[in-house]
Amino acid sequence: MITINMNKAKEITKERLRAERKPLLEVQDIKFMQAQETGNDTTAIVTEKKRLRDITKNVDSCTTTDELKALNCTE
């Protein structure tokens, strides 16, 4: 019987999500700076950055590997 260490699987998933979100956060940083330079509203950008930063918190509530595999930064 194969046993999966869920704690290890969760850590691996968090690392995957961190790698996946890094370029997305960089894009949001650029958008934020451009919005500030032009005086445009940054609310949506700040909201998206927070969502991306908090994405790894979703891992903690997962109870199966299928749930972990389904997590991504694009939702």
Side-chain angles (χ1 to χ4, degrees):
M1 179 175 167
I2 297 175
T3 303
I4 294 175
N5 181 333
M6 277 303 285
N7 289 332
K8 183 67 175 171
K10 287 180 178 184
E11 285 306 312
I12 291 168
T13 301
K14 285 181 180 181
E15 289 302 315
R16 175 181 59 83
L17 290 171
R18 288 179 183 122
E20 187 179 319
R21 77 177 174 198
K22 186 178 183 295
L24 299 174
L25 278 170
E26 290 170 355
V27 167
Q28 293 302 314
D29 286 341
I30 292 167
K31 288 181 179 181
F32 184 83
M33 286 185 283
Q34 289 172 336
Q36 281 191 319
E37 289 171 359
T38 58
N40 289 329
D41 184 27
T42 59
T43 305
I45 299 165
V46 170
T47 301
E48 176 63 3
K49 287 177 68 169
K50 180 172 178 12
R51 184 190 73 81
L52 289 169
R53 282 193 301 270
D54 291 347
I55 198 83
T56 55
K57 292 179 183 177
N58 297 336
V59 171
D60 297 329
S61 63
C62 291
T63 57
T64 68
T65 55
D66 286 338
E67 289 175 340
L68 292 174
K69 289 175 190 174
L71 291 177
N72 64 68
C73 291
T74 58
E75 294 179 347

